[in-house]
Structure formats: structure tokens, C-alpha cells
Amino acid sequence: MSSAATRPAGPDHLWSVDEHLEDILETVRPLEPIELQLLDAQGCVLVEDVTVPVSLPPFDNSSMDGYAVRIADVAGASEEFPAVLEVVGDVAAGAADLVRVGPGQAARIMTGAPLPPGAEAVVPVEWTDGGLGEGPVSGMRARSLAPEGAEGHVRVHRPAEARAHVRAKGSDVKAGDRALEAGTVLGPPQIALLAAIGRGTVRVRPRPRVVVLSTGSELVQPGEELARGQIYDSNSFALTAAARDAGAIAYRVGAVVDDAETLRATIEDQLVRADLLVTTGGVSVGAYDVVKEALSHVGDEDEAGGGVEFRKLAMQPGKPQGFGSVGPDHTPLLALPGNPVSSYVSFELFVRPAIRALMGLTDVNRPRARATLKADKALRSPKGRRQFLRGTYGDGEVAPVGGSGSHLIAALAHADALIVVPEDVESVDPGAEVEVVLLG
Amino acid sequence: MSSAATRPAGPDHLWSVDEHLEDILETVRPLEPIELQLLDAQGCVLVEDVTVPVSLPPFDNSSMDGYAVRIADVAGASEEFPAVLEVVGDVAAGAADLVRVGPGQAARIMTGAPLPPGAEAVVPVEWTDGGLGEGPVSGMRARSLAPEGAEGHVRVHRPAEARAHVRAKGSDVKAGDRALEAGTVLGPPQIALLAAIGRGTVRVRPRPRVVVLSTGSELVQPGEELARGQIYDSNSFALTAAARDAGAIAYRVGAVVDDAETLRATIEDQLVRADLLVTTGGVSVGAYDVVKEALSHVGDEDEAGGGVEFRKLAMQPGKPQGFGSVGPDHTPLLALPGNPVSSYVSFELFVRPAIRALMGLTDVNRPRARATLKADKALRSPKGRRQFLRGTYGDGEVAPVGGSGSHLIAALAHADALIVVPEDVESVDPGAEVEVVLLG
């Protein structure tokens, strides 16, 4: 990685959490945009300024079910002295050929239907006798059941001002207006607007495809039998789910045995569908740390940007981490430690921001808050390490759940926040203010 | 609907927003649970209490890469006077057959590997010479490159307490413990725990399948050409996206023309894949209001629970609404008004809670907050109607975006909150406190 290469960082350099994240975010570039169908673009970042091609509404139209009339004809109308108008036909929504409303005439009109020529306002059907010759009505009878409603006479009981109940052409947006700016994240209301102005497709950065591999010869697929010395693979499930939560299309490859050749072959095989690779396990100082072994020498030295660098971070859990790129397209790879809590915390701190950076989002980090520590005893934290403890957050308070051990999955499953203890703090007393990462 | 039937609610009854929502939530039942693969259960609600079948960790294991030793052998060890131990072999993670550590012996051990018989503690490799006969090392050489590391002698530079760097069997969870309670929503950490205790599948309420239909002969698919009197269909896109956001599997059927037979046939056709049907348009008092026409008489009177009731709500936008059930399985159906802002606001207030109720979630509503109104002039609201205006919320303030017109899609696309003006309030001054629905 070029940025890593320019740092004064030998193998014994202890990276801070911020330095590691900064290196990742300096390296990971947003994915190239593609044109997607509207609904496929949900949650994605728009890369173009979208201009309105046609005004909305595209024509003057009725905001009510009622009658399109001329103002003069209904001036002074009341229930006692109604204006009696000749009904010259229906104007339904979508109508192309419109009746003309002349003096003394009205057209029955539906919500959204174009205001017919000659008409100046709409009176709601509730202000009329609906053509039935009796008192005010609460609605129209269905055209299919009572076609005669489109003819005859209607009594109008109230006057209308010019343009009453008419939505003017362009009153929502006008042709040439900026509908949405590049950088907008497309949620349902933005999709509504794009559809309304006629955009069937839109140019966005796609969701990144994230391939998740766990490593370890001790790992067994959940649902199978455990033999002696084995445990269940949980990381590949947790991180696949977390990658989806972050907005990615995630593929769980599952557990790979501790053999460098097998791991290299698996990664090479997966590259075709990966915008980002995430591995867990095998990054520490052991003799069977296969990720480190397999990937430390993968980069072609003649090729810029290749290779994975393994680092020690000043954090707990999550000290050993790898970051770099693999394959001909320099696909970014994050190698996380294998303890379940370590891998999950590392995901939240480093992989989630990387996924969101690939999506082109500017807001890549989890929200944080200040909270009062609610605990029976002081929290202990090793000096020189930024510690991330699991906690539950609410009403400005955070309570730790479980201990600091990186194997405590049950506590993690009951937490909704990470309590951050800075590098220079070795003890936090109950009642003290702490920073928390909200896991949402 | 039985609950609707027991209300004193004639066709002229003006329903409050709360009454309508209450009726929906009393009627819509959570979906029947099914057994799903772990990753397919993401975001779903667990319906069983999950008990831990096997303790975690399932065996005493090392938390470090290092050497498994006997306490007495390393007592008093220092760099100057190291304990020299015979290395009797490697213990890798996943190892089934373990070497025995006798007096004066050590086994090289990897993180997660079972503590071998005879050993009482683990010393990290950094506290030793790694078998190289020189000073302290920072890690082990890969087994594949240096197999001799599993034999020879190691110098240990520091003593270890009993059980140091050993994770005890059951220290995370014990067999018989409650892992997760029924009602838990399964996010990544919960999926981690379920995988870790060996659960390959889990019993949850599935995501509801929501079919979205818009109606209107004036509607054209985005990307096509508009003819006179036509507009683009935006509701089916917006509500499909919103249904996905709410947690559903959503199918967009698209625009159906204003013909009752066509609509009935389309709905009948879609029932097979619908846990909930949502229509937009055709619910008001016009002569072409096809949803009302097609569905008012669909319920078999001899059959309990069938039929859709059309109502007027004391709200703006969104006055006309339909709710009921259709088909042999009494599939719930919400008929929303067709104006884009009305349909979106109705979705947020009524459909989203229905979807979340189908999922078995207890927290079905959007979060709300109190905010100070930031505006140039007072907000006006019709008496007797609860008004939902679009706004942008931040730092305890909310500013209105656009006007109250239910056709103002552009403003909706720039809002992130709904400003609630209660039924008995006709004007809200700038600086007043208002309730807001956070659209998140």
C-alpha cells in the first residue's frame, strides 16, 4: 500500500486505531458508478446531479373529485340558490381528449385529472348534489354502475375562487430544476421523486461485494458434530451478517483450514466476485497463522499497491491486524484476528468504514455518544491500549456487559454499544463520563 | 374485520389516526414461525428460548500463542536465569490428540488450542526465546518453514500463575444456560452466538412478503414517454423501497389501470405470494375509484374476517384509507390514497407498523421526538385533522420543507421528519415545541 509504505512503520511499530483506520480510508476508493434500475439503487449514493426533465405536475390538474367550472357560473351559489350547470362529460385521470367547459357548463373531474379547457376552478363533489337533484352528496357513484353521472345537470352549492382545487403545472418542481444532488443517498422518498420525474434508471455507486472467509482447522460448521478440540465457526456468520448490515452484498465462504496453499487458492478463486475480502484468524504470532503466512508474500514486488501488511495495533481486543490488497485488481483485504469478539470489534471499527467508503458514503463511522459509566467497580484497561468493552447504552448511561475477554460471545450478543477507554487511561470509576460507540 | 365490526363506525364516522392504527394492529397477527438458516434469519424475531447445548469454550484453551507449561517449572524464571524446558511438540487449534506435558517439559501451543494434559498455564511466546537460544522473540516462525520449532528446548523468561492465559471451559456460557430469549431480534452479534453454540438453523418469524400495487390509468412507467394527461408512477417504487426498509420482502407489481375486474384479477393472482397487500389510489369519492369499487364487495358475507372497509381519517394528508382482508386466507390489505405524499405518509403511519407487527416486533413505530419549530411564519393546519408536514430535523429543531400539498414530492425527498400538528391546533408559531416523527 503506497500510504503504508510512506509511513515510518517498521514491523515493531505499534499502530494506533486512528492510524490504521486512516490508512484504510486513504487506500480504499469508492467503487466505479453504474447505471441501476431504481429499486436496485436503494441505499446507494447518487453520483450525478439529477435535473428535472419535465415539470411536476406536468399539467394543471384537479386536487379533488368534483366538477370543473367557470368562476362566473358559480359566483354567489348557495345550497338555497344553487348554480345549475350542464354536465358535459367526465374527465378521468389519464384522460387525453378533454371536453371543453363553456359558459353554464361543468365537467365532472377526478383527482389528478387535467383541468379541461374553459374551466377555471374545481368544486369538490361534496359542495354539489352530484347530479342527483337532491341535497349535498358525500361522493360520486362509480362510473361503471351509474354512467349517467357524466351527463345531465349538477347543482353547485358554493362559489369557487379562480384556481381553487387546481394544482398548477410545475408547482412541485419545474423542468430544469435540480431534483437531487450528487452524493444523495437514495431512500424511499428520493426514489419516489426520481420515479415521478420519469427516471427509470439512475447512476450510483453499487453496493460492494464482500467475501468473508474464516480460517482455522478447529472450525466446524454449526449444526455438525464437534470432535475433540474443535469449536463452531461463528465469525464467518457474524461478519457476513454485519457486512449486509453495513450495506454490502456479502458472501460467506466459510472456514478454510490452516494451510497456506489452500487459503491462497480459495482467495484467488473468490477474487472474481469480491470488491473487498475479509478474513478472520491466523494473523498473530503463532506457528500456524496461515493468513499471515499465505498473504505476507502474495504481493508482486514489481507491482505497485500489492501485498498485505500485518500490524500490531494499540487496541484491545484486536491487536493483530492485516491490511493490504491482493490479486491483479488490487482488491482490498482486511485480515482480522480470530477471536470472535476481536473480529467483531475489528469489523465495526475498520471493515464497516471500508464498506461505506466503497459505497461512496461520507459518513462512514458508527455514531458515538458520551455516557456516564454505570458499574459496580472501576473498569481496568491496559496502559497504552485503546480498549473497547461491550456495554448496554440508554438514557445517557452505559453499563458494561461481561468482561474484557475476547472469547466472550454471549456478552457481545447482549450489548448494543462499545465503551471506549483511551490509551492513557488505566481505570475508569463508576459515574465517570466515557465515550461509547453505538452499535445501532 | 371483527374489530372493525364491533366499533360503532358507520361510513360517515371520521376515524382518528390512532383508532385506525389500533384497528390495524389488533387485526394483523404475527406470521407463523419457520426454521431458517442462520443468515436467512438476520433481522428476524426469535420465537424460541435458545439454550446452550455445549459450554463455551468447550474445553480449556490457550488465549495466547506460547508454551503450555507446569507452574513449578517456571517459578522464579527470568531473562537472566531462564527456565529451560524440553519442547515435546505442538498443540495447534483443532488438535485432537494432545501431547502430555511432564515435569521439565513444555508444549508449543497456539491461541484457541486445548490446554494439553499436565500443563497448568501458558506463557506467551514473547516471554521466551522461542527455542532459538537467543533473546526474547516477538513471535513463532511458521511451522511450514521451520518445523524444528516443535522440538528442542525453550528458555522461559518469566514465571506464570496457575491458569494464566488459559480460558476455562464454560467461561463464556455453560451448557444449560439461556443463550437468547424468545423475542430477540437477530443481528450480527446474536447470529455470532447462535453459530458459536452450534445452531445451524433457528426458529423465527419470517420477513413478510408485501405486494405493492399502484392503480391509475394515468400512470406510466418511469423511462417511458408521457402522453397527454399522464404522469409517472412513483408510488409503487417508493412503497416497495419503504417496505424493504421496514424489513419486508417486497414485490412491486406496478400500475394497474382503473378497471375493477382487472384489479380484482391482479390481486387474486398476487395473493399466492402476499402476506400483506398494499394498494395506492382509487380510495376516494370519485367515479373511477377502482380500489374502492373492486374491494368493497370482495368479502364473502358468510365468511368471517373478509372484506375491506373504506374510511375517512381525521388526518392530512391521507384522509381516505381502506383496511381489511382479501382472499381465502384473509390476507390483510391496506388501501392507501394515491397522491404521492399521502401514500408515503400513510405508509409510514400504518403500513410500516403492520409489517413490523407481522414480523413479531413489539417496537413497530418510528421514533418520535420533541423539537422547536424553526420557521419564518406560523404553520396553518385544518381544524379537526391531525396534520403531518414534511420537515428537516436536527439538534432539537425542525424546519418545514415545502408546503402542505399532497403532490409535493420534491419537498418530501428533502425531508427526514414529519411534523405533527394535533387535531385541535390550527396554528403553530415559530419557536413553539412540536412533535416530530423521525424518518431515519
Side-chain angles (χ1 to χ4, degrees):
Chain A
M1 317 308 310
S2 58
S3 62
T6 58
R7 283 172 192 280
D12 291 333
H13 174 71
L14 201 61
W15 290 61
S16 75
V17 170
D18 298 333
E19 283 172 339
H20 185 59
L21 178 59
E22 197 183 302
D23 186 36
I24 292 167
L25 294 179
E26 278 173 4
T27 308
V28 170
R29 300 263 66 88
L31 295 177
E32 286 302 310
I34 55 171
E35 192 84 11
L36 287 183
Q37 293 286 322
L38 267 194
L39 285 175
D40 292 337
Q42 185 173 1
C44 295
V45 174
L46 192 66
V47 295
E48 50 175 350
D49 290 335
V50 174
T51 301
V52 177
V54 54
S55 295
L56 285 187
F59 44 83
D60 290 351
N61 70 92
S62 178
S63 69
M64 300 293 279
D65 298 313
Y67 291 86
V69 298
R70 299 165 78 98
I71 302 301
D73 289 341
V74 295
S78 67
E79 203 169 330
E80 197 176 353
F81 301 104
V84 182
L85 303 176
E86 178 198 1
V87 179
V88 293
D90 270 358
V91 192
D97 297 320
L98 305 178
V99 292
R100 183 173 179 85
V101 177
Q105 295 181 331
R108 195 165 68 156
I109 191 167
M110 312 303 148
T111 307
L115 189 70
E120 298 162 318
V122 171
V123 288
V125 65
E126 294 91 340
W127 297 4
T128 77
D129 72 346
L132 301 179
E134 301 179 4
V137 294
S138 61
M140 302 176 192
R141 295 189 65 204
R143 161 80 173 175
S144 57
L145 302 173
E148 68 278 9
E151 49 196 52
H153 287 81
V154 64
R155 280 171 177 72
V156 177
H157 300 145
R158 288 170 61 174
E161 288 173 20
R163 312 291 292 172
H165 307 113
V166 174
R167 298 170 184 150
K169 173 179 176 174
S171 56
D172 186 358
V173 286
K174 291 191 171 54
D177 282 357
R178 169 80 42 84
L180 293 174
E181 282 185 20
T184 301
V185 182
L186 301 181
Q190 292 75 36
I191 287 173
L193 178 57
L194 290 167
I197 63 172
R199 290 293 297 256
T201 64
V202 72
R203 200 151 191 85
V204 296
R205 297 196 191 279
R207 296 177 177 279
R209 300 160 302 154
V210 175
V211 168
V212 178
L213 300 98
S214 53
T215 68
S217 296
E218 74 278 24
L219 299 180
V220 173
Q221 167 103 355
E224 308 285 311
E225 283 292 312
L226 279 190
R228 277 209 311 180
Q230 296 183 323
I231 59 170
Y232 289 110
D233 173 22
S234 63
N235 287 343
S236 69
F237 291 89
L239 300 197
T240 300
R244 288 181 185 159
D245 254 11
I249 297 161
Y251 303 112
R252 176 187 161 267
V253 174
V256 180
V257 295
D258 288 330
D259 172 73
E261 262 324 301
T262 306
L263 179 63
R264 265 196 289 261
T266 305
I267 287 177
E268 201 163 305
D269 198 40
Q270 292 292 329
L271 277 175
V272 68
R273 64 166 178 174
D275 297 311
L276 175 69
L277 286 150
V278 180
T279 65
T280 65
V283 293
S284 194
V285 297
Y288 297 74
D289 278 339
V290 65
V291 174
K292 208 167 174 178
E293 184 185 345
L295 299 183
S296 288
H297 309 287
V298 151
D300 182 337
E301 289 187 10
D302 296 333
E303 221 178 315
V308 175
E309 187 180 302
F310 291 87
R311 300 169 179 171
K312 288 180 180 161
L313 262 65
M315 72 181 277
Q316 185 188 63
K319 184 181 180 189
Q321 300 275 347
F323 171 57
S325 66
V326 291
D329 298 328
H330 307 305
T331 306
L333 182 147
L334 277 91
L336 312 184
N339 286 319
V341 178
S342 309
S343 78
Y344 179 74
V345 169
S346 302
F347 184 97
E348 287 293 339
L349 295 178
F350 307 122
V351 184
R352 186 181 165 92
I355 288 172
R356 296 176 69 81
L358 285 165
M359 295 177 76
L361 293 163
T362 47
D363 184 17
V364 299
N365 292 308
R366 289 276 197 194
R368 297 190 176 220
R370 306 291 303 179
T372 304
L373 179 65
K374 193 178 162 185
D376 297 332
K377 55 183 203 303
L379 297 182
R380 298 277 162 201
S381 180
K383 188 172 181 171
R385 303 263 215 121
R386 191 179 300 180
Q387 197 182 35
F388 296 89
L389 292 161
R390 277 63 67 201
T392 55
Y393 171 82
D395 294 329
E397 289 188 331
V398 68
V401 187
S404 64
S406 55
H407 65 300
L408 301 175
I409 313 176
L412 177 65
H414 292 91
D416 59 14
L418 298 174
I419 304 169
V420 186
V421 185
E423 290 82 344
D424 55 355
V425 174
E426 291 178 74
S427 176
V428 184
D429 288 329
E433 194 184 85
V434 289
E435 185 182 22
V436 293
V437 178
L438 304 177
L439 299 177
Chain B
M1 318 305 311
S2 58
S3 61
T6 59
R7 284 172 191 279
D12 291 331
H13 175 71
L14 200 60
W15 290 62
S16 74
V17 170
D18 297 334
E19 283 171 342
H20 185 59
L21 178 59
E22 198 183 301
D23 186 36
I24 293 167
L25 294 180
E26 278 174 4
T27 308
V28 170
R29 299 263 66 88
L31 295 176
E32 285 301 310
I34 56 172
E35 192 85 11
L36 287 182
Q37 294 286 321
L38 265 195
L39 285 175
D40 292 336
Q42 185 172 0
C44 295
V45 175
L46 193 65
V47 294
E48 51 174 348
D49 289 335
V50 173
T51 302
V52 177
V54 53
S55 296
L56 286 186
F59 44 84
D60 290 352
N61 71 92
S62 178
S63 70
M64 300 294 278
D65 298 312
Y67 292 85
V69 298
R70 301 165 76 98
I71 303 300
D73 288 341
V74 295
S78 67
E79 205 170 328
E80 197 179 354
F81 301 104
V84 183
L85 304 175
E86 179 197 2
V87 180
V88 293
D90 270 357
V91 192
D97 296 319
L98 305 177
V99 292
R100 182 172 181 86
V101 177
Q105 295 180 331
R108 194 165 71 158
I109 192 167
M110 311 304 147
T111 305
L115 190 71
E120 298 162 319
V122 171
V123 288
V125 64
E126 294 92 339
W127 296 5
T128 77
D129 72 345
L132 301 179
E134 300 180 4
V137 294
S138 61
M140 301 176 191
R141 294 188 66 201
R143 161 80 171 175
S144 57
L145 302 173
E148 69 277 8
E151 50 197 51
H153 286 83
V154 64
R155 281 171 174 73
V156 177
H157 301 144
R158 288 170 60 174
E161 287 174 20
R163 311 291 291 173
H165 307 112
V166 174
R167 299 169 182 150
K169 173 179 176 174
S171 55
D172 186 357
V173 287
K174 290 191 172 53
D177 281 357
R178 170 80 41 85
L180 293 173
E181 281 185 20
T184 301
V185 182
L186 301 181
Q190 292 76 35
I191 286 173
L193 177 57
L194 289 168
I197 63 172
R199 290 294 295 257
T201 65
V202 72
R203 201 150 189 88
V204 296
R205 297 197 191 277
R207 296 177 177 280
R209 298 160 304 153
V210 175
V211 168
V212 178
L213 299 97
S214 52
T215 69
S217 296
E218 75 278 25
L219 299 179
V220 174
Q221 167 105 354
E224 307 286 312
E225 283 293 312
L226 278 191
R228 278 208 312 179
Q230 296 183 323
I231 58 169
Y232 289 110
D233 173 23
S234 63
N235 287 343
S236 69
F237 291 90
L239 300 196
T240 301
R244 288 181 186 160
D245 255 12
I249 297 162
Y251 302 113
R252 176 187 162 267
V253 174
V256 180
V257 295
D258 287 330
D259 174 72
E261 261 324 301
T262 306
L263 179 63
R264 266 196 287 263
T266 306
I267 287 177
E268 201 162 304
D269 198 41
Q270 292 292 329
L271 277 175
V272 67
R273 63 167 179 174
D275 296 311
L276 175 68
L277 285 150
V278 180
T279 65
T280 65
V283 293
S284 195
V285 296
Y288 298 74
D289 277 340
V290 64
V291 174
K292 210 166 171 177
E293 184 185 344
L295 300 183
S296 287
H297 307 288
V298 152
D300 182 338
E301 288 185 10
D302 296 334
E303 220 176 314
V308 175
E309 186 179 304
F310 291 88
R311 300 168 179 171
K312 288 181 179 159
L313 263 64
M315 72 181 275
Q316 186 189 59
K319 184 181 179 188
Q321 300 275 349
F323 171 57
S325 66
V326 290
D329 297 330
H330 307 305
T331 307
L333 181 147
L334 278 92
L336 312 185
N339 285 319
V341 177
S342 310
S343 78
Y344 179 73
V345 169
S346 303
F347 184 97
E348 287 293 339
L349 294 177
F350 307 122
V351 184
R352 186 181 166 93
I355 288 171
R356 297 176 68 82
L358 286 166
M359 294 177 76
L361 293 163
T362 48
D363 184 16
V364 300
N365 292 306
R366 289 277 196 191
R368 297 191 176 220
R370 307 291 303 179
T372 304
L373 180 65
K374 193 177 162 187
D376 296 333
K377 54 183 205 299
L379 297 182
R380 298 276 160 202
S381 180
K383 186 171 182 174
R385 304 262 215 120
R386 190 179 300 181
Q387 197 181 35
F388 295 90
L389 293 162
R390 278 62 68 201
T392 54
Y393 171 83
D395 294 328
E397 290 187 332
V398 69
V401 188
S404 64
S406 57
H407 66 300
L408 301 175
I409 314 175
L412 177 66
H414 293 91
D416 59 12
L418 298 175
I419 304 170
V420 186
V421 185
E423 290 81 345
D424 56 355
V425 175
E426 291 179 74
S427 177
V428 183
D429 288 329
E433 194 184 84
V434 289
E435 185 181 22
V436 294
V437 179
L438 304 177
L439 299 177

